[in-house]
Amino acid sequence: MNSVSQNWTQAMAAQSLMTHNPYFSTQLPQPWMGVAENVAMGFTAGTVVAGWMNSPGHRANILGDYTHIGIGYWVDGTGRAWFTQNFGKYDVVSQPSMVGEPAIVVDKSGFTSSWVPTPNETVTRYDVQLYAAGGTTLLDSKTTTSPTVTFTGLTASTGYVVKVAAVAVDVPGLAYSSPVKTFTVTTSAPAPTVPGAPKRLNDFTGDGKTDVIARDASGELWLYPGTGTGDWSKRIDLGGGWNVMSTIVSAGDFNGDGKADVIARDTSGELWFYPGTGTGDWSKRQDLGAGWNVMTSIVAPGDFNADGKPDLIARDSSGELWLYPNNGAGDWLKRVDLGAGWNIMNSIVAPGDFNADGKVDLVARDTSGQLWLYPGNGQNEWFKRVDLGAGWNTMNAITAPGDMDSDGRPDVIARDTTGELWLYPNNGAGDWFKRIDLGPGWNPMTAIL
């Protein structure tokens, strides 16, 4: 409305003619219930209202039941002042107000401020201003249609002032604003950083890429050097004679020398540690003890108990799952019972920290083909298991070598009954990105790790 009044005031001054705007009723925001106009010239800003009030018609406009007013004021080149008042009556909402204190959540990067307007009006927007402590230096301002606003880039453990107004618009261009509410907030101290579990090391060539090892039916062990993009370089022969091993698992960096290792159990039940050299070969193997032929599954998850040393987990024939804590000297601390009932699982793999919470996890498939994530809590127990999907009984081999696609998340590899090998990229949210075909011909392999 002010723009209509101002434009007409300047038009009168330009023509040096005081007259009513013949078009003001169509120029004011629609729909109105009544409109009127006052014009004047030659008064001062301090005397013009008194002049209008001495005129019955102008006085009636000023004292009428109009809900909105537009003002125009202009001084021409001779110093003469020109004035316009436009009045409008609208079926408007009540002045909005905010009730209660806003719920303010603050952290080192910003805060979210939420509040609830009174229920008898429609709030069209919220005008929010952020000030430094003291409330005089404006740092940022936002207009939002939602009663939630976030400012970012704040300093931790620092006070700020927030000023908030709710605005209700009844007719386009006409708005009522609530009284401004002022709140003092203090950002929290920086949240403690959750240390991530060491990434599962399956880099046998020392190039920083995750590799895969597979044994064929003749007992030959092959290294498939990963490219970091879900593919392989030319495979490397790691030697024969591995068909004497009933189990072979990737152990990550089991001895803490920064190189990927392998653990294998022979048919007599002896467990052997093969330290990787980082160049696709092994140092002299080490005996980790006998009696392991009672175990129906063995995996090397990494540092399961969060003591800084990679451990071993094994399931016995009764379905009991056991943690064998590494003592850092080529032997074990006392084993820990991780629970019974694991004989319903026909595949158990160790992906490392699958859900990025800093703890080492397990993934297992049950006999119905359902795949489950068992999030470790770092204290030899599990958080509630997470369903990773059904239909995995079409796979006859499942392994978790690590981060195959270089996105920072450990992935899963599975072979179907036709011999096709598939990469299931972890999306970091308990599900998978679209799977990737790693190629056919993997049926001759009796172990994939």
Side-chain angles (χ1 to χ4, degrees):
M1 293 182 71
N2 285 336
S3 62
V4 174
S5 301
Q6 185 63 29
N7 289 341
W8 183 247
T9 303
Q10 291 180 230
M12 290 192 298
Q15 300 175 54
S16 193
L17 177 65
M18 186 182 73
T19 183
H20 283 285
N21 177 1
Y23 308 110
F24 81 92
S25 63
T26 60
Q27 293 173 347
L28 293 178
Q30 303 285 338
W32 43 258
M33 301 170 66
V35 291
E37 183 181 73
N38 288 343
V39 294
M41 54 82 68
F43 291 89
T44 68
T47 62
V48 66
V49 173
W52 278 326
M53 291 296 285
N54 287 327
S55 166
H58 296 94
R59 178 187 178 89
N61 289 340
I62 293 174
L63 298 181
D65 60 351
Y66 298 105
T67 58
H68 292 73
I69 185 172
I71 301 294
Y73 171 68
W74 188 256
V75 178
D76 64 21
T78 67
R80 186 167 47 181
W82 300 78
F83 305 89
T84 302
Q85 286 181 324
N86 287 117
F87 302 91
K89 181 179 179 180
Y90 295 93
D91 183 13
V92 299
V93 297
S94 61
Q95 184 185 45
S97 60
M98 291 178 294
V99 295
E101 296 291 311
I104 298 174
V105 180
V106 295
D107 61 30
K108 66 177 180 178
S109 62
F111 63 84
T112 297
S113 177
S114 303
W115 57 94
V116 180
T118 52
N120 62 338
E121 79 276 336
T122 300
V123 173
T124 306
R125 72 173 191 268
Y126 302 89
D127 295 336
V128 191
Q129 294 178 319
L130 173 71
Y131 291 82
T136 57
T137 302
L138 180 64
L139 301 177
D140 199 358
S141 61
K142 293 180 183 292
T143 296
T144 175
T145 57
S146 167
T148 300
V149 65
T150 299
F151 292 97
T152 59
L154 306 187
T155 304
S157 304
T158 302
Y160 293 89
V161 172
V162 183
K163 297 183 179 182
V164 181
V167 179
V169 176
D170 52 324
V171 176
L174 303 178
Y176 280 134
S177 177
S178 73
V180 173
K181 279 198 171 186
T182 301
F183 307 94
T184 300
V185 297
T186 301
T187 55
S188 62
T193 301
V194 177
K199 289 185 178 180
R200 180 168 175 78
L201 183 64
N202 225 56
D203 173 21
F204 291 93
T205 59
D207 64 355
K209 310 290 193 307
T210 297
D211 308 316
V212 167
I213 288 178
R215 178 187 63 189
D216 64 27
S218 71
E220 205 76 17
L221 202 63
W222 297 94
L223 170 64
Y224 291 82
T227 63
T229 58
D231 205 350
W232 325 103
S233 302
K234 184 179 179 182
R235 71 177 187 174
I236 299 169
D237 191 345
L238 295 181
W242 287 83
N243 48 8
V244 301
M245 300 296 174
S246 57
T247 296
I248 308 174
V249 297
S250 168
D253 179 17
F254 195 76
N255 60 355
D257 65 353
K259 302 179 177 62
D261 309 312
V262 162
I263 288 177
R265 177 188 61 190
D266 64 28
T267 52
S268 72
E270 203 79 17
L271 199 65
W272 298 94
F273 170 51
Y274 289 81
T277 63
T279 58
D281 204 351
W282 319 106
S283 300
K284 184 179 179 181
R285 71 177 187 174
Q286 301 170 23
D287 192 345
L288 294 181
W292 288 82
N293 47 7
V294 300
M295 299 298 174
T296 57
S297 180
I298 301 173
V299 294
D303 181 14
F304 189 77
N305 60 359
D307 67 352
K309 295 181 284 289
D311 309 309
L312 209 64
I313 289 178
R315 178 187 62 192
D316 65 27
S317 55
S318 73
E320 205 78 17
L321 199 66
W322 299 93
L323 169 67
Y324 288 82
N326 182 355
N327 72 354
D331 206 347
W332 317 103
L333 301 174
K334 183 180 179 181
R335 72 177 185 174
V336 178
D337 191 344
L338 297 180
W342 286 82
N343 47 9
I344 66 169
M345 301 297 173
N346 55 25
S347 181
I348 303 174
V349 297
D353 181 13
F354 190 80
N355 59 359
D357 67 350
K359 313 292 192 304
V360 172
D361 311 313
L362 285 187
V363 169
R365 178 186 63 188
D366 64 28
T367 51
S368 74
Q370 206 78 15
L371 198 66
W372 299 94
L373 168 66
Y374 287 82
N377 68 357
Q379 299 175 358
N380 301 335
E381 289 181 351
W382 317 100
F383 293 118
K384 184 179 179 181
R385 70 178 184 174
V386 178
D387 189 345
L388 295 181
W392 288 82
N393 47 8
T394 63
M395 302 295 171
N396 56 24
I398 302 175
T399 188
D403 180 16
M404 286 293 299
D405 55 3
S406 302
D407 65 354
R409 294 182 287 265
D411 307 311
V412 164
I413 287 177
R415 179 186 62 194
D416 65 27
T417 53
T418 70
E420 204 79 17
L421 198 65
W422 298 93
L423 168 65
Y424 289 82
N426 177 0
N427 72 356
D431 206 346
W432 316 99
F433 292 120
K434 184 179 179 181
R435 70 177 186 174
I436 299 170
D437 191 345
L438 297 180
W442 288 81
N443 265 342
M445 299 300 173
T446 57
I448 303 174
L449 52 140

